[in-house]
Amino acid sequence: MLSLNIIGAGRVGKSLGRLFCHHHVFQIAQVFNLSSASNQAALAFIGEGQAVNDIAKVNSSDITLLAVPDDAFALAIAQLITAGALKPQTILFHCSGSKSSKDLLRLCPNLEHLQIQLASIHPVRSFADPDEVCSDFAGTICSVEGSPQALAILNPAFTSIGARLVNIDSENKLLYHAASVFASNYLVTLMDTAIATYVAAGVEEKLAQQMAQSLASKTLENVFKFGTSKALTGPIKRGDQQTVQEQAATVQTWDADQGALYQAFIQPTIKLAKR
C-alpha cells in the first residue's frame, strides 16, 4: 500500500485522511500541523499516522497531500524540499480550487528538476463538518488535473472513496473556482445579508433565519428543477423597476455596503429576466 503524508490536516486534510484510511486506499504516514493539540486531534479523527510538529522533520512518502492555505504553498514546498521530504518521481497534490499543478511549478521551479509528479484534485463540496463529509462523500464531484503519472494513482484512489471525477483544464482553474465561490461562499454571504436585512426591518433574528431558510431552500429547489430563468421571481421579473430603485435607495440608506451589493445584482438579474 502506498504511503501518504498530510501537510496541513485541517478540515479537508483530515477528512481525506480518514476516507483514505478507512477505505484502505493509502497508509497514512505522517501528519503535519503546527500545534501538538491540532495534530493529536487530527490523528484521532483519521485513525492512523504519526504526528509531526516540525516540517523539517517530515520524511518522504509515496504521496504528499498539501492541504495548507494557498498563500502558504510556496513556503511549505520549499521547506519540504529542504527537509528531503519530496523524492524524485513521488506525487505531490493539493485540493485548492483556484490553483493548478502548473501553479505549483511557477511557485517552485525546483519541483520539475526533482521530477515530482503534480496534480490538483478539488472536491466540489463544503468541508464545514468533517464528520458529515466522511459519512456522505460518495457521489462528490471532484475536478482533477495534473500529470498523467500522478493521476494514474490519484484518480482510482479518489474513485475508491466514492468520488465522481471531472477533468478540468489547468488554465481555467481560477475561473472554475470563481463558480464555486459564487455557488457556495458568496451564497453564505448573501444569506447573511438577507438575515441582517430582515432584522433591520424589525424581524426577530431567529424568525429571520427561518424566513430566509424557507425562501432560499425553495428557490434553490426550483433552480435545479426548472432552471434559473423559470425559477426567477420578484420585482425585476415582474418589471417593477420603480420598486427596485426605491428598494435600492432604502437599502443604501440603511447600510452602504449592503446597498452596493443590492445594486450590483440589478443588471445581472435584468439580463436573466430577459432570457
Side-chain angles (χ1 to χ4, degrees):
M1 187 181 298
L2 296 176
S3 59
L4 172 72
N5 281 346
I6 301 174
I7 309 301
R11 288 179 292 188
V12 174
K14 70 182 184 181
S15 296
L16 292 178
R18 176 190 271 190
L19 287 164
F20 289 137
C21 176
H22 286 198
H23 287 80
H24 307 290
V25 177
F26 298 130
Q27 178 185 357
I28 309 303
Q30 293 183 308
V31 176
F32 167 76
N33 277 329
L34 289 173
S35 76
S36 297
S38 58
N39 243 344
Q40 293 306 316
L43 289 183
F45 185 85
I46 294 168
E48 186 177 69
Q50 175 191 0
V52 179
N53 299 327
D54 183 354
I55 199 168
K57 295 181 179 179
V58 174
N59 299 322
S60 63
S61 62
D62 298 311
I63 304 166
T64 300
L65 165 55
L66 189 64
V68 299
D70 294 5
D71 290 348
F73 278 2
L75 177 59
I77 293 171
Q79 291 174 322
L80 290 170
I81 291 175
T82 299
L86 296 176
K87 298 296 186 182
Q89 296 301 324
T90 58
I91 295 171
L92 173 67
F93 80 101
H94 65 78
C95 296
S96 167
S98 61
K99 299 293 185 185
S100 70
S101 57
K102 291 182 178 179
D103 288 321
L104 294 186
L105 277 180
R106 283 192 282 268
L107 289 170
C108 299
N110 282 342
L111 290 171
E112 185 171 15
H113 175 71
L114 291 171
Q115 297 182 308
I116 305 297
Q117 302 303 316
L118 304 172
S120 69
I121 300 187
H122 177 240
V124 186
R125 66 168 300 151
S126 168
F127 279 78
D129 184 345
D131 281 303
E132 182 179 298
V133 170
C134 293
S135 66
D136 69 355
F137 191 81
T140 296
I141 298 173
C142 292
S143 302
V144 305
E145 63 83 32
S147 75
Q149 296 91 329
L151 295 183
I153 300 296
L154 295 173
N155 281 357
F158 272 82
T159 300
S160 295
I161 62 175
R164 291 172 54 199
L165 304 182
V166 176
N167 293 320
I168 188 165
D169 189 329
S170 61
E171 300 301 325
N172 290 330
K173 280 297 292 282
L174 274 174
L175 188 59
Y176 151 82
H177 190 248
S180 298
V181 170
F182 278 122
S184 178
N185 307 150
Y186 286 169
L187 183 60
V188 175
T189 303
L190 193 59
M191 288 301 97
D192 182 69
T193 298
I195 293 167
T197 309
Y198 275 132
V199 171
V203 179
E204 189 270 328
E205 184 170 2
K206 186 174 182 180
L207 180 57
Q209 292 175 346
Q210 294 171 353
M211 293 166 71
Q213 179 182 9
S214 175
L215 191 56
S217 297
K218 189 61 180 178
T219 299
L220 282 176
E221 180 183 329
N222 289 340
V223 164
F224 298 112
K225 184 177 182 180
F226 303 116
T228 54
S229 296
K230 291 184 178 180
L232 183 64
T233 61
I236 289 179
K237 178 73 170 181
R238 295 191 299 267
D240 295 334
Q241 291 304 315
Q242 183 175 347
T243 297
V244 172
Q245 294 305 320
E246 290 175 352
Q247 202 165 69
T250 299
V251 177
Q252 177 71 29
T253 299
W254 162 58
D255 185 290
D257 288 338
Q258 312 297 21
L261 184 61
Y262 187 100
Q263 189 69 41
F265 273 96
I266 293 176
Q267 284 305 316
T269 307
I270 289 174
K271 290 181 180 179
L272 174 59
K274 288 180 178 178
R275 295 214 307 267

